[in-house]
Amino acid sequence: MELKTICELPGISGREEPVRMAIYAECVQKLGSENVTIDRMGNVIAHKAGRDATAPHVMLAAHMDEVGLMVLSATEEGLLRVCAIGGIDSRVLVSKRVKVGYGEDALNGVIGAMAIHQQTAEDRKHVLPISQLYVDIGAKDKAEAEAKAPAGTPIVFDTPYTPFGDHKVLVKALDDRVACYNLLRLLDCDVKGDTDFVFTCQEEVGSRGADGAAFRIHPDIGIALEGTSANDVGDVPETARVCTLGKGVAVSFMDRASIAQPELFRQMLQTAEEAGVPHQVKLAVAGGNDSGPMQRARSGARTCVLSVPCRYIHSPSTICDLRDVEAQYQLAKAFLEK
Protein backbone atom coordinates (compact mmCIF):
# COMPACT_ATOMS: atom_id res chain seq x y z
CA MET A 1 0.00 0.00 0.00
CA GLU A 2 1.32 3.43 -0.92
CA LEU A 3 1.84 6.11 1.73
CA LYS A 4 -0.58 8.37 -0.17
CA THR A 5 -3.33 5.76 -0.05
CA ILE A 6 -3.07 4.99 3.65
CA CYS A 7 -2.80 8.66 4.70
CA GLU A 8 -5.88 9.69 2.75
CA LEU A 9 -8.07 6.98 4.31
CA PRO A 10 -10.36 8.34 7.06
CA GLY A 11 -10.12 6.89 10.56
CA ILE A 12 -10.50 8.90 13.76
CA SER A 13 -10.06 7.16 17.12
CA GLY A 14 -12.75 4.55 17.63
CA ARG A 15 -13.87 4.80 14.01
CA GLU A 16 -10.89 3.26 12.23
CA GLU A 17 -12.95 0.95 9.99
CA PRO A 18 -11.67 2.05 6.54
CA VAL A 19 -8.03 1.92 7.65
CA ARG A 20 -8.50 -1.36 9.51
CA MET A 21 -10.05 -3.20 6.57
CA ALA A 22 -7.41 -1.98 4.11
CA ILE A 23 -4.60 -3.05 6.45
CA TYR A 24 -6.25 -6.39 7.24
CA ALA A 25 -6.57 -7.19 3.54
CA GLU A 26 -2.89 -6.49 2.88
CA CYS A 27 -1.76 -8.48 5.93
CA VAL A 28 -3.82 -11.47 4.81
CA GLN A 29 -2.39 -11.20 1.31
CA LYS A 30 1.15 -11.33 2.69
CA LEU A 31 0.84 -13.74 5.62
CA GLY A 32 -2.39 -15.68 5.07
CA SER A 33 -5.66 -15.41 6.98
CA GLU A 34 -4.56 -17.97 9.57
CA ASN A 35 -1.89 -15.55 10.82
CA VAL A 36 -3.99 -12.36 10.94
CA THR A 37 -6.71 -11.49 13.45
CA ILE A 38 -8.82 -8.51 14.47
CA ASP A 39 -9.32 -8.47 18.23
CA ARG A 40 -12.30 -7.18 20.21
CA MET A 41 -10.92 -3.64 20.40
CA GLY A 42 -10.35 -3.48 16.65
CA ASN A 43 -6.57 -3.94 16.54
CA VAL A 44 -5.17 -5.83 13.56
CA ILE A 45 -2.59 -8.39 14.73
CA ALA A 46 -0.39 -10.13 12.17
CA HIS A 47 1.88 -12.90 13.48
CA LYS A 48 5.07 -14.10 11.82
CA ALA A 49 7.17 -16.97 13.13
CA GLY A 50 10.87 -16.32 13.53
CA ARG A 51 13.75 -18.47 12.35
CA ASP A 52 15.18 -18.84 15.88
CA ALA A 53 12.88 -20.24 18.56
CA THR A 54 15.19 -18.98 21.32
CA ALA A 55 15.13 -15.34 20.17
CA PRO A 56 13.01 -12.76 22.03
CA HIS A 57 9.35 -12.37 21.07
CA VAL A 58 8.86 -8.90 19.58
CA MET A 59 5.74 -6.76 19.29
CA LEU A 60 5.80 -3.80 16.91
CA ALA A 61 2.97 -1.29 17.22
CA ALA A 62 1.76 1.44 14.88
CA HIS A 63 -1.59 3.12 15.44
CA MET A 64 -4.25 3.39 12.77
CA ASP A 65 -6.27 6.27 14.21
CA GLU A 66 -5.91 9.98 13.49
CA VAL A 67 -7.09 13.07 15.32
CA GLY A 68 -10.30 14.64 14.09
CA LEU A 69 -13.74 15.83 15.14
CA MET A 70 -17.14 14.33 15.89
CA VAL A 71 -20.62 15.79 15.50
CA LEU A 72 -22.40 16.67 18.74
CA SER A 73 -25.53 18.45 17.50
CA ALA A 74 -26.82 20.98 14.99
CA THR A 75 -27.92 24.60 15.37
CA GLU A 76 -31.23 25.94 14.13
CA GLU A 77 -29.33 27.40 11.16
CA GLY A 78 -28.01 23.97 10.12
CA LEU A 79 -24.46 24.30 11.41
CA LEU A 80 -22.79 21.35 13.15
CA ARG A 81 -21.48 21.65 16.68
CA VAL A 82 -18.46 19.41 17.18
CA CYS A 83 -15.94 18.10 19.70
CA ALA A 84 -12.31 17.11 19.26
CA ILE A 85 -11.21 13.48 19.05
CA GLY A 86 -7.59 13.50 20.21
CA GLY A 87 -5.38 16.48 20.95
CA ILE A 88 -6.04 19.36 18.52
CA ASP A 89 -5.01 23.00 18.78
CA SER A 90 -8.12 25.03 17.89
CA ARG A 91 -5.89 27.75 16.41
CA VAL A 92 -5.24 25.57 13.34
CA LEU A 93 -8.89 24.76 12.59
CA VAL A 94 -10.76 27.84 11.36
CA SER A 95 -11.55 27.80 7.59
CA LYS A 96 -10.11 24.28 7.07
CA ARG A 97 -11.91 21.87 4.75
CA VAL A 98 -13.20 18.58 6.18
CA LYS A 99 -15.05 15.44 5.19
CA VAL A 100 -18.09 14.68 7.33
CA GLY A 101 -18.72 10.93 7.43
CA TYR A 102 -16.96 8.19 5.50
CA GLY A 103 -17.17 6.67 2.04
CA GLU A 104 -19.36 7.69 -0.87
CA ASP A 105 -21.82 9.44 1.45
CA ALA A 106 -19.17 11.69 3.01
CA LEU A 107 -20.08 15.38 2.92
CA ASN A 108 -17.85 18.31 2.13
CA GLY A 109 -17.61 20.79 4.98
CA VAL A 110 -15.64 23.75 6.26
CA ILE A 111 -14.81 24.69 9.85
CA GLY A 112 -16.16 28.15 10.59
CA ALA A 113 -16.31 30.80 13.29
CA MET A 114 -17.60 34.31 13.79
CA ALA A 115 -16.35 36.52 10.95
CA ILE A 116 -13.32 38.66 11.77
CA HIS A 117 -15.30 41.80 10.88
CA GLN A 118 -17.82 41.04 13.64
CA GLN A 119 -15.22 40.33 16.32
CA THR A 120 -14.32 43.01 18.80
CA ALA A 121 -10.74 43.96 19.57
CA GLU A 122 -11.08 41.98 22.79
CA ASP A 123 -12.37 38.93 20.88
CA ARG A 124 -9.29 38.93 18.68
CA LYS A 125 -7.01 38.62 21.71
CA HIS A 126 -8.32 35.13 22.49
CA VAL A 127 -8.22 31.82 20.69
CA LEU A 128 -11.68 30.48 20.02
CA PRO A 129 -12.17 27.08 21.67
CA ILE A 130 -13.58 24.22 19.62
CA SER A 131 -16.87 24.64 21.49
CA GLN A 132 -17.27 28.00 19.71
CA LEU A 133 -16.46 26.65 16.25
CA TYR A 134 -18.84 24.88 13.88
CA VAL A 135 -18.79 22.83 10.68
CA ASP A 136 -20.76 24.17 7.74
CA ILE A 137 -22.07 21.47 5.36
CA GLY A 138 -24.44 23.78 3.48
CA ALA A 139 -27.56 22.52 5.26
CA LYS A 140 -30.52 24.91 5.21
CA ASP A 141 -31.70 24.14 8.73
CA LYS A 142 -31.34 21.91 11.78
CA ALA A 143 -33.50 19.12 10.40
CA GLU A 144 -31.43 18.78 7.22
CA ALA A 145 -28.15 18.93 9.14
CA GLU A 146 -29.25 16.23 11.60
CA ALA A 147 -30.51 14.02 8.78
CA LYS A 148 -27.23 14.25 6.88
CA ALA A 149 -24.84 14.27 9.85
CA PRO A 150 -26.43 12.93 13.05
CA ALA A 151 -24.66 13.07 16.40
CA GLY A 152 -21.64 10.76 16.43
CA THR A 153 -20.72 11.28 12.78
CA PRO A 154 -16.90 11.28 12.39
CA ILE A 155 -15.14 14.21 10.73
CA VAL A 156 -11.65 14.13 9.21
CA PHE A 157 -9.48 16.80 7.63
CA ASP A 158 -9.69 17.00 3.84
CA THR A 159 -6.02 17.40 2.92
CA PRO A 160 -4.76 15.57 -0.19
CA TYR A 161 -1.28 14.04 -0.34
CA THR A 162 0.99 16.71 -1.82
CA PRO A 163 4.72 16.26 -2.57
CA PHE A 164 6.72 19.48 -2.33
CA GLY A 165 10.16 20.84 -1.57
CA ASP A 166 13.12 18.50 -1.13
CA HIS A 167 11.81 14.95 -0.44
CA LYS A 168 8.89 16.31 1.60
CA VAL A 169 5.17 15.55 1.57
CA LEU A 170 2.17 17.29 3.10
CA VAL A 171 -0.99 15.41 4.07
CA LYS A 172 -3.26 14.69 7.02
CA ALA A 173 -2.71 11.77 9.40
CA LEU A 174 1.04 11.26 8.97
CA ASP A 175 0.80 10.50 12.69
CA ASP A 176 0.71 7.56 12.53
CA ARG A 177 0.07 6.35 9.00
CA VAL A 178 3.79 6.67 8.21
CA ALA A 179 4.38 3.86 10.70
CA CYS A 180 1.42 1.80 9.44
CA TYR A 181 2.93 2.10 5.97
CA ASN A 182 6.32 0.90 7.25
CA LEU A 183 4.79 -1.87 9.37
CA LEU A 184 3.15 -3.29 6.25
CA ARG A 185 6.51 -3.23 4.50
CA LEU A 186 8.15 -4.96 7.46
CA LEU A 187 5.84 -7.96 7.04
CA ASP A 188 8.30 -9.14 4.36
CA CYS A 189 11.24 -9.22 6.82
CA ASP A 190 13.18 -12.39 7.62
CA VAL A 191 12.51 -11.97 11.34
CA LYS A 192 14.84 -13.70 13.79
CA GLY A 193 12.31 -14.13 16.61
CA ASP A 194 8.56 -14.58 16.65
CA THR A 195 7.07 -11.20 15.80
CA ASP A 196 3.61 -9.66 16.10
CA PHE A 197 2.88 -6.68 13.89
CA VAL A 198 0.09 -4.79 15.63
CA PHE A 199 -1.91 -2.00 14.02
CA THR A 200 -3.54 -0.45 17.07
CA CYS A 201 -6.72 1.56 17.53
CA GLN A 202 -7.58 4.54 19.76
CA GLU A 203 -3.99 5.58 20.47
CA GLU A 204 -4.85 9.28 20.20
CA VAL A 205 -7.29 9.00 23.11
CA GLY A 206 -5.02 7.13 25.51
CA SER A 207 -3.42 4.13 23.76
CA ARG A 208 -6.51 2.07 24.52
CA GLY A 209 -6.03 -0.50 21.78
CA ALA A 210 -2.43 -1.23 22.73
CA ASP A 211 -3.47 -2.04 26.31
CA GLY A 212 -5.39 -5.15 25.31
CA ALA A 213 -3.00 -6.17 22.53
CA ALA A 214 0.08 -6.00 24.77
CA PHE A 215 -1.68 -7.96 27.52
CA ARG A 216 -2.65 -10.64 25.00
CA ILE A 217 0.72 -10.92 23.27
CA HIS A 218 2.96 -10.40 26.33
CA PRO A 219 6.12 -9.69 24.28
CA ASP A 220 9.70 -9.69 25.50
CA ILE A 221 10.42 -6.55 23.48
CA GLY A 222 7.98 -3.84 22.39
CA ILE A 223 8.86 -1.38 19.64
CA ALA A 224 6.53 1.53 18.94
CA LEU A 225 6.76 3.08 15.47
CA GLU A 226 5.49 6.65 15.59
CA GLY A 227 5.27 10.04 14.00
CA THR A 228 6.50 12.63 16.49
CA SER A 229 6.65 16.41 16.84
CA ALA A 230 9.39 18.28 15.00
CA ASN A 231 9.72 21.82 16.30
CA ASP A 232 12.47 22.69 13.79
CA VAL A 233 11.08 25.99 12.54
CA GLY A 234 11.97 29.66 12.78
CA ASP A 235 14.45 30.71 15.43
CA VAL A 236 13.73 27.82 17.80
CA PRO A 237 17.02 26.81 19.52
CA GLU A 238 18.36 23.43 18.43
CA THR A 239 17.88 21.88 21.87
CA ALA A 240 14.17 22.81 21.80
CA ARG A 241 13.49 21.39 18.36
CA VAL A 242 12.68 17.88 19.66
CA CYS A 243 13.87 16.42 16.35
CA THR A 244 14.63 17.68 12.86
CA LEU A 245 13.24 16.76 9.45
CA GLY A 246 15.79 15.13 7.16
CA LYS A 247 18.15 13.94 9.91
CA GLY A 248 16.75 10.41 10.06
CA VAL A 249 14.66 8.31 12.40
CA ALA A 250 14.34 9.68 15.94
CA VAL A 251 15.17 7.21 18.72
CA SER A 252 13.54 8.14 22.04
CA PHE A 253 15.16 7.60 25.43
CA MET A 254 12.01 8.71 27.26
CA ASP A 255 8.55 10.22 26.82
CA ARG A 256 5.52 10.71 29.05
CA ALA A 257 4.37 7.11 28.59
CA SER A 258 7.59 5.07 28.92
CA ILE A 259 11.32 5.05 29.51
CA ALA A 260 13.37 3.14 26.96
CA GLN A 261 15.22 0.14 28.38
CA PRO A 262 18.84 1.40 28.39
CA GLU A 263 20.47 -1.62 26.74
CA LEU A 264 17.79 -1.72 24.05
CA PHE A 265 18.16 2.02 23.45
CA ARG A 266 21.93 1.65 23.02
CA GLN A 267 21.43 -1.40 20.81
CA MET A 268 19.14 0.59 18.52
CA LEU A 269 21.72 3.34 18.13
CA GLN A 270 24.46 0.77 17.52
CA THR A 271 22.33 -1.05 14.94
CA ALA A 272 21.68 2.24 13.15
CA GLU A 273 25.42 3.01 13.07
CA GLU A 274 26.34 -0.44 11.78
CA ALA A 275 23.62 -0.41 9.11
CA GLY A 276 24.38 3.16 8.02
CA VAL A 277 20.84 4.33 8.82
CA PRO A 278 20.46 8.10 9.38
CA HIS A 279 19.26 8.63 12.94
CA GLN A 280 18.97 11.16 15.76
CA VAL A 281 18.08 11.10 19.43
CA LYS A 282 14.83 12.81 20.36
CA LEU A 283 15.76 15.90 22.37
CA ALA A 284 12.67 16.38 24.52
CA VAL A 285 10.49 14.41 26.91
CA ALA A 286 7.03 14.96 25.45
CA GLY A 287 3.95 13.11 24.31
CA GLY A 288 3.11 9.46 24.76
CA ASN A 289 2.46 6.44 22.59
CA ASP A 290 1.87 2.69 22.52
CA SER A 291 5.23 1.97 24.19
CA GLY A 292 3.60 2.72 27.55
CA PRO A 293 1.07 -0.13 27.47
CA MET A 294 3.69 -2.52 26.07
CA GLN A 295 6.14 -1.65 28.85
CA ARG A 296 3.58 -2.13 31.63
CA ALA A 297 1.46 -5.08 30.45
CA ARG A 298 1.55 -8.13 32.72
CA SER A 299 5.19 -8.72 33.73
CA GLY A 300 6.39 -5.94 31.43
CA ALA A 301 8.57 -5.68 28.35
CA ARG A 302 11.71 -3.90 27.22
CA THR A 303 10.63 -1.02 25.01
CA CYS A 304 11.97 1.58 22.60
CA VAL A 305 10.35 4.09 20.25
CA LEU A 306 11.39 4.82 16.65
CA SER A 307 9.77 7.96 15.28
CA VAL A 308 9.45 9.88 12.02
CA PRO A 309 9.78 13.65 12.65
CA CYS A 310 6.59 15.49 11.63
CA ARG A 311 6.06 19.25 11.47
CA TYR A 312 2.64 20.69 12.41
CA ILE A 313 1.57 17.37 13.94
CA HIS A 314 -2.11 16.91 14.88
CA SER A 315 -3.12 19.52 12.31
CA PRO A 316 -4.83 19.39 8.90
CA SER A 317 -1.45 19.77 7.17
CA THR A 318 1.38 17.65 8.56
CA ILE A 319 4.78 17.51 6.85
CA CYS A 320 7.45 14.82 6.86
CA ASP A 321 10.62 14.01 4.94
CA LEU A 322 10.42 10.75 2.99
CA ARG A 323 14.07 10.02 3.81
CA ASP A 324 13.11 9.85 7.49
CA VAL A 325 10.28 7.45 6.65
CA GLU A 326 12.77 5.20 4.90
CA ALA A 327 15.19 5.48 7.83
CA GLN A 328 12.50 4.29 10.26
CA TYR A 329 11.84 1.28 8.04
CA GLN A 330 15.52 0.42 7.58
CA LEU A 331 16.33 0.58 11.30
CA ALA A 332 13.31 -1.53 12.30
CA LYS A 333 14.18 -4.03 9.56
CA ALA A 334 17.83 -4.29 10.65
CA PHE A 335 16.75 -4.82 14.27
CA LEU A 336 14.19 -7.52 13.45
CA GLU A 337 16.56 -9.44 11.20
CA LYS A 338 19.47 -9.16 13.65
Side-chain angles (χ1 to χ4, degrees):
M1 190 184 306
E2 296 297 324
L3 182 60
K4 175 183 187 297
T5 302
I6 198 167
C7 282
E8 291 183 344
L9 289 171
I12 64 168
S13 304
R15 293 297 310 275
E16 299 94 349
E17 307 96 287
V19 186
R20 176 164 48 247
M21 297 319 298
I23 286 174
Y24 177 79
E26 184 147 338
C27 289
V28 167
Q29 182 181 5
K30 289 191 174 189
L31 299 182
S33 59
E34 67 278 10
N35 294 308
V36 186
T37 59
I38 298 176
D39 69 11
R40 293 175 184 172
M41 280 291 292
N43 303 303
V44 179
I45 302 174
H47 180 78
K48 188 167 186 177
R51 63 181 187 273
D52 182 353
T54 66
H57 182 180
V58 179
M59 172 179 166
L60 289 95
H63 68 87
M64 298 180 288
D65 56 316
E66 63 187 288
V67 298
L69 305 171
M70 183 172 283
V71 177
L72 291 176
S73 61
T75 68
E76 294 299 327
E77 298 79 19
L79 302 172
L80 302 177
R81 292 296 183 193
V82 299
C83 65
I85 302 296
I88 304 176
D89 185 347
S90 62
R91 291 175 297 180
V92 305
L93 293 181
V94 178
S95 79
K96 301 303 188 297
R97 295 178 60 174
V98 293
K99 288 289 186 182
V100 181
Y102 294 165
E104 295 179 357
D105 297 327
L107 305 169
N108 293 314
V110 63
I111 300 172
M114 180 191 296
I116 189 72
H117 306 82
Q118 273 67 56
Q119 293 180 29
T120 65
E122 188 63 27
D123 288 336
R124 292 192 287 271
K125 293 179 181 179
H126 305 286
V127 177
L128 291 173
I130 291 176
S131 61
Q132 293 182 29
L133 304 179
Y134 55 81
V135 172
D136 190 340
I137 57 172
K140 65 178 181 293
D141 56 26
K142 182 177 183 178
E144 182 181 0
E146 290 180 336
K148 290 185 174 180
T153 301
I155 301 173
V156 295
F157 301 126
D158 186 13
T159 310
Y161 183 94
T162 307
F164 77 112
D166 185 16
H167 300 281
K168 294 179 179 62
V169 294
L170 176 155
V171 69
K172 72 172 185 69
L174 283 171
D175 174 26
D176 190 29
R177 305 288 169 72
V178 284
C180 290
Y181 164 74
N182 276 336
L183 209 55
L184 287 170
R185 298 170 70 197
L186 289 166
L187 293 174
D188 297 323
C189 281
D190 179 23
V191 295
K192 183 174 182 180
D194 285 357
T195 303
D196 284 288
F197 302 84
V198 185
F199 302 83
T200 63
C201 61
Q202 299 190 40
E203 189 270 355
E204 296 292 4
V205 290
S207 294
R208 298 174 186 178
D211 274 321
F215 185 90
R216 171 183 176 177
I217 293 167
H218 194 203
D220 300 305
I221 294 174
I223 306 297
L225 302 184
E226 260 282 79
T228 196
S229 304
N231 195 30
D232 59 339
V233 292
D235 57 358
V236 175
E238 185 173 352
T239 53
R241 294 189 169 198
V242 185
C243 54
T244 302
L245 265 66
K247 287 192 174 182
V249 57
V251 184
S252 297
F253 63 89
M254 180 180 178
D255 56 42
R256 292 175 184 167
S258 67
I259 300 173
Q261 201 272 341
E263 292 179 2
L264 183 58
F265 174 73
R266 288 193 290 269
Q267 185 181 5
M268 279 295 180
L269 297 179
Q270 181 180 349
T271 300
E273 289 285 351
E274 292 173 352
V277 177
H279 61 286
Q280 56 189 305
V281 173
K282 190 173 174 181
L283 297 178
V285 177
N289 49 65
D290 287 339
S291 63
M294 289 190 287
Q295 187 176 68
R296 296 189 296 268
R298 295 171 69 174
S299 58
R302 292 179 287 159
T303 59
C304 194
V305 183
L306 307 180
S307 303
V308 173
C310 295
R311 284 183 194 149
Y312 322 124
I313 203 165
H314 285 202
S315 81
S317 301
T318 308
I319 295 172
C320 76
D321 190 307
L322 293 175
R323 293 170 295 189
D324 299 334
V325 179
E326 182 64 19
Q328 184 192 56
Y329 165 74
Q330 291 294 344
L331 180 52
K333 179 175 184 289
F335 178 79
L336 289 177
E337 293 182 343
K338 181 179 178 180

